Amino acid sequence: MIKKLSIMDYNRERCGQYIEALEEERRKILVFQRELPLCLDLVTQSIERCKREITETGTDNVYGQSECSEQTTGQCTPVLEQFLTIKDSSTSNEEEVEEELEDEQGNHDPENDSEDKNMKSDWLKSVQLWNQPDPLLPKEEQSQQMMETEVKRDESMREDPMANSGERRRRETERKQRRCWSSQLHRRFLNALQHLGGPHVATPKQIREFMKVDGLTNDEVKSHLQKYRLNRRRPSQTVPNNGNSQKQHFVVVGGLWVPQSDYSTGKTTRGASTSGTTTTTTTTTTTTTGIYGAMAPPPAPQWPSHFNFTPSIIVDEGSGSHSEEVVVRCSSPAMSSSTRNYYVTKN
DNA sequence: CAAGTAATAT
DNA sequence: GATATTACTT
């Protein structure tokens, strides 16, 4: 009898301490939620779970062993509402593997007592680095376990200027089919960039070789790089000061402007397949692909939201250092000693 | 040929 | 308007 109670109390106590620790952790992570969205989500979920356990101990089951396998972070105890300012995250769809970077190839985490197993298995599914417009593909298995070190891209899709059965093509100047940079592809891009010493040092060719994405051309990388550089030069400046002060709170941390709530705007419609346990009844498909009909499946890839065009934070590795350390430093708008080689057309 | 940049197309 | 492709210059 008493024993039981004492155990209960003990557990509760421990849980409480754990929660405290977690919350503290979360506060820290919150600052970098842009870089560590999943991390934050994890911690949040953990906190929820713990709290739930505590609150439920009042009744009978001491160990809230209920796995509470809720898929989304939705319906939760309102207790920690204060911390959930980000709320809308709906990060059920993980395609954002945080800054793990390198682990892409060798990630083997067979032992995952934690709840983070469901993630990371997901982004592997969304393999298609290239949103290859292909309505025909069932999109299910398709190209599943490839990827790994080298990603392959179906070359057949490519419109060959030559191979046209009839020369109905518009002459040889057939514009390439437009393809988007999926977030994963972009990750590789960033990864390469980082290892090559920053966007201003890395050259398209190097990047392409580093990415090891089959079918990726130099020009594509070059273009992407160009855009990347431009976007990073002056990311804001649009929307001078919209009257709506909404929830764009910014926090100054160590001289860095960090958006307090962000990242969640994506809200991709793609059903997060979540953990592999049992078939998820999520509709997945039926995404109202309004435009383009069956062209590009998900509207997912949106740069502004989840690509790391970190406005004022440059994450670049010391060019020479091979260590894992990543230096985060502020980039003054006037920095970037980009030697502007402006060539004036002098004919 | 490769990289940067500008122009153009979607 | 944003993003990708192409054209052009170096």
Side-chain angles (χ1 to χ4, degrees), chain A residues 229-250:
Chain A
R229 285 167 173 168
L230 287 178
N231 276 29
R232 135 185 306 282
R233 185 168 294 286
R234 54 184 78 219
S236 61
Q237 196 172 47
T238 58
V239 186
N241 45 5
N242 244 343
N244 57 359
S245 54
Q246 280 187 283
K247 297 179 179 181
Q248 273 288 352
H249 295 142
F250 281 80

Short mmCIF file of all heavy atoms in Angstrom, two decimals, chain A residues 229-250:
data_model
loop_
_atom_site.label_atom_id
_atom_site.label_comp_id
_atom_site.label_asym_id
_atom_site.label_seq_id
_atom_site.Cartn_x
_atom_site.Cartn_y
_atom_site.Cartn_z
N ARG A 229 22.92 32.68 -53.82
CA ARG A 229 23.73 33.84 -53.44
C ARG A 229 22.89 35.09 -53.40
O ARG A 229 23.01 35.91 -52.50
CB ARG A 229 24.87 34.02 -54.43
CG ARG A 229 25.99 33.00 -54.24
CD ARG A 229 26.92 33.03 -55.41
NE ARG A 229 28.10 32.19 -55.19
CZ ARG A 229 28.94 31.86 -56.14
NH1 ARG A 229 28.75 32.29 -57.38
NH2 ARG A 229 29.98 31.11 -55.88
N LEU A 230 22.07 35.23 -54.37
CA LEU A 230 21.25 36.43 -54.42
C LEU A 230 20.31 36.49 -53.22
O LEU A 230 20.19 37.51 -52.56
CB LEU A 230 20.43 36.46 -55.70
CG LEU A 230 21.23 36.77 -56.95
CD1 LEU A 230 20.34 36.74 -58.17
CD2 LEU A 230 21.91 38.10 -56.82
N ASN A 231 19.67 35.40 -52.98
CA ASN A 231 18.72 35.39 -51.87
C ASN A 231 19.38 35.65 -50.54
O ASN A 231 18.75 36.14 -49.63
CB ASN A 231 18.01 34.04 -51.82
CG ASN A 231 16.86 34.03 -52.78
OD1 ASN A 231 16.90 34.73 -53.78
ND2 ASN A 231 15.85 33.24 -52.49
N ARG A 232 20.59 35.25 -50.47
CA ARG A 232 21.24 35.39 -49.18
C ARG A 232 21.83 36.79 -49.03
O ARG A 232 22.12 37.24 -47.93
CB ARG A 232 22.29 34.32 -49.06
CG ARG A 232 23.59 34.76 -48.54
CD ARG A 232 24.59 33.66 -48.56
NE ARG A 232 24.14 32.46 -47.89
CZ ARG A 232 24.14 32.33 -46.58
NH1 ARG A 232 24.51 33.31 -45.83
NH2 ARG A 232 23.76 31.21 -46.03
N ARG A 233 21.96 37.43 -50.12
CA ARG A 233 22.54 38.76 -50.05
C ARG A 233 21.60 39.72 -49.35
O ARG A 233 21.96 40.41 -48.42
CB ARG A 233 22.86 39.27 -51.44
CG ARG A 233 23.57 40.58 -51.44
CD ARG A 233 24.09 40.86 -52.82
NE ARG A 233 25.13 39.93 -53.20
CZ ARG A 233 26.36 39.98 -52.71
NH1 ARG A 233 26.67 40.89 -51.83
NH2 ARG A 233 27.25 39.10 -53.08
N ARG A 234 20.41 39.76 -49.84
CA ARG A 234 19.42 40.60 -49.18
C ARG A 234 18.09 39.87 -49.15
O ARG A 234 17.22 40.09 -49.99
CB ARG A 234 19.28 41.93 -49.90
CG ARG A 234 19.00 41.80 -51.37
CD ARG A 234 18.97 43.16 -52.03
NE ARG A 234 20.31 43.68 -52.25
CZ ARG A 234 20.62 44.96 -52.08
NH1 ARG A 234 19.70 45.79 -51.67
NH2 ARG A 234 21.83 45.37 -52.32
N PRO A 235 17.98 39.05 -48.19
CA PRO A 235 16.79 38.22 -48.11
C PRO A 235 15.54 39.01 -47.79
O PRO A 235 14.49 38.71 -48.26
CB PRO A 235 17.11 37.25 -46.97
CG PRO A 235 18.13 37.96 -46.17
CD PRO A 235 18.86 38.90 -47.06
N SER A 236 15.68 39.98 -46.98
CA SER A 236 14.49 40.71 -46.58
C SER A 236 14.31 41.93 -47.47
O SER A 236 14.36 41.85 -48.66
CB SER A 236 14.64 41.14 -45.13
OG SER A 236 15.76 42.00 -45.03
N GLN A 237 14.14 43.01 -46.87
CA GLN A 237 13.97 44.28 -47.57
C GLN A 237 12.62 44.35 -48.24
O GLN A 237 12.08 45.40 -48.47
CB GLN A 237 15.06 44.49 -48.61
CG GLN A 237 15.11 45.94 -49.05
CD GLN A 237 16.31 46.20 -49.92
OE1 GLN A 237 16.56 45.44 -50.83
NE2 GLN A 237 17.03 47.23 -49.65
N THR A 238 12.08 43.24 -48.58
CA THR A 238 10.69 43.24 -49.01
C THR A 238 9.85 43.34 -47.76
O THR A 238 10.28 42.99 -46.68
CB THR A 238 10.35 41.96 -49.76
OG1 THR A 238 10.63 40.87 -48.90
CG2 THR A 238 11.17 41.85 -51.02
N VAL A 239 8.68 43.77 -47.90
CA VAL A 239 7.83 43.98 -46.74
C VAL A 239 8.53 44.86 -45.73
O VAL A 239 9.02 44.39 -44.70
CB VAL A 239 7.48 42.65 -46.05
CG1 VAL A 239 6.47 42.90 -44.96
CG2 VAL A 239 6.98 41.65 -47.06
N PRO A 240 8.61 46.11 -46.04
CA PRO A 240 9.34 47.05 -45.18
C PRO A 240 8.88 46.94 -43.73
O PRO A 240 9.64 46.54 -42.88
CB PRO A 240 8.96 48.42 -45.76
CG PRO A 240 8.49 48.15 -47.14
CD PRO A 240 7.92 46.76 -47.13
N ASN A 241 7.68 47.32 -43.51
CA ASN A 241 7.16 47.11 -42.17
C ASN A 241 5.65 46.98 -42.27
O ASN A 241 4.93 47.94 -42.14
CB ASN A 241 7.54 48.24 -41.24
CG ASN A 241 7.32 49.58 -41.92
OD1 ASN A 241 6.80 49.62 -43.04
ND2 ASN A 241 7.67 50.63 -41.26
N ASN A 242 5.28 45.81 -42.53
CA ASN A 242 3.86 45.59 -42.64
C ASN A 242 3.17 45.92 -41.34
O ASN A 242 3.67 45.64 -40.28
CB ASN A 242 3.60 44.11 -42.98
CG ASN A 242 2.96 44.03 -44.36
OD1 ASN A 242 2.45 45.01 -44.87
ND2 ASN A 242 3.01 42.85 -44.93
N GLY A 243 2.03 46.50 -41.45
CA GLY A 243 1.33 46.86 -40.24
C GLY A 243 1.04 45.66 -39.36
O GLY A 243 1.08 45.74 -38.15
N ASN A 244 0.82 44.57 -40.02
CA ASN A 244 0.50 43.40 -39.20
C ASN A 244 1.72 42.92 -38.46
O ASN A 244 2.62 42.33 -39.00
CB ASN A 244 -0.06 42.29 -40.06
CG ASN A 244 0.93 41.92 -41.15
OD1 ASN A 244 1.99 42.51 -41.24
ND2 ASN A 244 0.58 40.95 -41.94
N SER A 245 1.70 43.15 -37.22
CA SER A 245 2.85 42.73 -36.42
C SER A 245 2.68 41.29 -36.02
O SER A 245 3.48 40.74 -35.31
CB SER A 245 2.97 43.60 -35.18
OG SER A 245 1.77 43.58 -34.47
N GLN A 246 1.65 40.73 -36.45
CA GLN A 246 1.32 39.33 -36.19
C GLN A 246 2.26 38.61 -35.26
O GLN A 246 2.54 39.04 -34.17
CB GLN A 246 1.23 38.58 -37.51
CG GLN A 246 -0.09 38.83 -38.15
CD GLN A 246 -0.25 37.96 -39.36
OE1 GLN A 246 0.30 38.23 -40.39
NE2 GLN A 246 -1.03 36.93 -39.20
N LYS A 247 2.72 37.50 -35.71
CA LYS A 247 3.50 36.71 -34.77
C LYS A 247 4.95 36.64 -35.19
O LYS A 247 5.64 35.71 -34.88
CB LYS A 247 2.92 35.31 -34.69
CG LYS A 247 1.53 35.33 -34.14
CD LYS A 247 0.94 33.95 -34.09
CE LYS A 247 -0.45 34.02 -33.52
NZ LYS A 247 -1.06 32.70 -33.43
N GLN A 248 5.35 37.59 -35.91
CA GLN A 248 6.74 37.56 -36.34
C GLN A 248 7.62 38.17 -35.30
O GLN A 248 8.26 39.19 -35.51
CB GLN A 248 6.89 38.31 -37.67
CG GLN A 248 6.62 37.44 -38.85
CD GLN A 248 7.75 36.46 -39.03
OE1 GLN A 248 8.76 36.56 -38.35
NE2 GLN A 248 7.59 35.54 -39.94
N HIS A 249 7.64 37.58 -34.19
CA HIS A 249 8.51 38.11 -33.15
C HIS A 249 9.94 37.73 -33.41
O HIS A 249 10.24 36.62 -33.81
CB HIS A 249 8.08 37.55 -31.79
CG HIS A 249 6.72 38.03 -31.42
ND1 HIS A 249 5.81 37.23 -30.78
CD2 HIS A 249 6.11 39.20 -31.63
CE1 HIS A 249 4.70 37.91 -30.59
NE2 HIS A 249 4.84 39.11 -31.08
N PHE A 250 10.76 38.64 -33.15
CA PHE A 250 12.17 38.34 -33.32
C PHE A 250 12.89 38.44 -31.99
O PHE A 250 12.59 39.30 -31.17
CB PHE A 250 12.82 39.29 -34.32
CG PHE A 250 12.53 38.94 -35.72
CD1 PHE A 250 11.32 39.28 -36.29
CD2 PHE A 250 13.44 38.22 -36.46
CE1 PHE A 250 11.05 38.93 -37.58
CE2 PHE A 250 13.17 37.86 -37.76
CZ PHE A 250 11.97 38.22 -38.32
#
